[in-house]
C-alpha cells in the first residue's frame, strides 16, 4: 500500500459499512442520492465517498494538483489522532510531505500561513485547519467545477446511468416493487 492509499483506507472504512441513525436504521440522507448525482451536489459530498475521492484524485493527477486532496485527507485523519507522540509524528509527516519548502508534494498555501517546524512540538487537532480550509476553498472554487465537466466524471456518470437502465437492474426493481406492494 502506498502512503496515500493507506491514508484513504484510514479515512474511509471499507465499503459495506452503513451509516445508521441513532436507532440503527440506515441513514436516509445517505440513501437519496448516490454516486455522481451526490458528488455533483457539493465538494463535501464528493469527499465523503471513497469512489468520489478516487475519481477526483484521478482528475487532479492529470491537473498536477493531487497533493491538494491528499493534504486535505491527511488533515482530516490528523484530527482523529490520539496521543501527543502520535500527533507529533503525524504533524511532522504532514509538514514534511506538504508544507516544508523541501516537501515532496508541496501544497500552494499563502506564504504567511505556513507553519514553522517549532509548532510541531506542541501539536493540537486543529493546527492545520486554516491551511486545510485554504486548500478546500482552492479545490472547491477551482478544480471541483472543472472535475464536474471532465471526461472522468462524465464517463463515470454515463456508466452509472447505463447500469441503472440495464435489464437486470429493472428486473430487480420490479421484483422489489412486487415484494413491497403486496
Amino acid at each position: 500500500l502506498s502512503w496515500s492509499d493507506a491514508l484513504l483506507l484510514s479515512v474511509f472504512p471499507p465499503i459495506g459499512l452503513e451509516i445508521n441513525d441513532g436507532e440503527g436504521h440506515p441513514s436516509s440522507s445517505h440513501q437519496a442520492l448516490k454516486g455522481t448525482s451526490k458528488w455533483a451536489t457539493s465538494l463535501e459530498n464528493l469527499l465523503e465517498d471513497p469512489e468520489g475521492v478516487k475519481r477526483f484524485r484521478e482528475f487532479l493527477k492529470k491537473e498536477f494538483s493531487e497533493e491538494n486532496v491528499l493534504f486535505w485527507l491527511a488533515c482530516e485523519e490528523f484530527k482523529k489522532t490520539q496521543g501527543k507522540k502520535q500527533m507529533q509524528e503525524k504533524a511532522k509527516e504532514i509538514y514534511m510531505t506538504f508544507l516544508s519548502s523541501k516537501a515532496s508534494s508541496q501544497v500552494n498555501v499563502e506564504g504567511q500561513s505556513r507553519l514553522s517546524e517549532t509548532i510541531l512540538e506542541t501539536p493540537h487537532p486543529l493546527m492545520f485547519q486554516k491551511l486545510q480550509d485554504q486548500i478546500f476553498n482552492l479545490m472547491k472554487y477551482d478544480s471541483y467545477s472543472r472535475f464536474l465537466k471532465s471526461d472522468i466524471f462524465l464517463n463515470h456518470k454515463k456508466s452509472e446511468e447505463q447500469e441503472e437502465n440495464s435489464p437486470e437492474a429493472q428486473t430487480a426493481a420490479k421484483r422489489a416493487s412486487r415484494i413491497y406492494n403486496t
Side-chain angles (χ1 to χ4, degrees), residues 1 13 27 55 76 79 124 131 147 164 173 179:
L1 277 180
S27 171
R55 301 297 175 170
E76 285 298 292
K79 291 175 192 175
H124 57 88
L131 302 175
F147 169 71
E164 287 173 11
I179 292 168

Side-chain angles (χ1 to χ4, degrees), residues 8-180:
L8 279 174
L9 285 174
S10 64
V11 173
F12 299 111
I15 293 173
L17 295 179
E18 283 187 341
I19 296 176
N20 295 317
D21 63 15
E23 298 171 13
H25 303 103
S27 171
S28 60
S29 66
H30 286 272
Q31 292 173 331
L33 293 174
K34 290 191 238 174
T36 54
S37 299
K38 190 171 180 184
W39 305 348
T41 60
S42 71
L43 178 57
E44 291 88 339
N45 285 339
L46 171 72
L47 294 172
E48 286 176 1
D49 182 349
E51 184 66 23
V53 170
K54 179 182 170 186
R55 301 297 175 170
F56 193 47
R57 278 184 63 193
E58 192 180 322
F59 170 75
L60 291 176
K61 262 185 201 174
K62 290 182 176 190
E63 293 216 331
F64 304 100
S65 59
E66 181 187 23
E67 68 278 358
N68 291 336
V69 74
L70 293 176
F71 173 72
W72 188 88
L73 291 167
C75 291
E76 285 298 292
E77 184 61 23
F78 178 75
K79 291 175 192 175
K80 301 173 193 169
T81 305
Q82 301 291 313
K84 185 178 178 185
K85 181 90 173 130
Q86 288 86 351
M87 285 187 92
Q88 284 176 327
E89 289 170 7
K90 281 196 177 188
K92 185 172 184 171
E93 189 176 334
I94 288 172
Y95 179 81
M96 297 308 286
T97 305
F98 301 106
L99 301 171
S100 156
S101 59
K102 300 172 190 151
S104 56
S105 298
Q106 191 177 45
V107 290
N108 185 14
V109 289
E110 293 176 26
Q112 68 271 21
S113 299
R114 290 199 178 276
L115 302 172
S116 69
E117 282 191 65
T118 55
I119 196 170
L120 299 176
E121 296 305 313
T122 55
H124 57 88
L126 300 177
M127 68 187 280
F128 297 115
Q129 189 64 52
K130 185 177 178 184
L131 302 175
Q132 185 185 18
D133 290 345
Q134 278 186 41
I135 293 299
F136 180 85
N137 285 328
L138 179 68
M139 291 188 300
K140 183 175 184 171
Y141 297 111
D142 185 39
S143 42
Y144 173 65
S145 57
R146 285 195 310 281
F147 169 71
L148 295 178
K149 298 172 192 163
S150 72
D151 287 344
I152 292 171
F153 176 80
L154 296 173
N155 289 339
H156 191 72
K157 182 177 180 179
K158 188 186 290 184
S159 69
E160 274 182 355
E161 289 166 353
Q162 287 171 345
E163 282 178 27
E164 287 173 11
N165 295 329
S166 72
E168 297 85 24
Q170 290 175 354
T171 303
K174 285 178 186 172
R175 277 197 309 267
S177 110
R178 280 197 304 265
I179 292 168
Y180 293 112

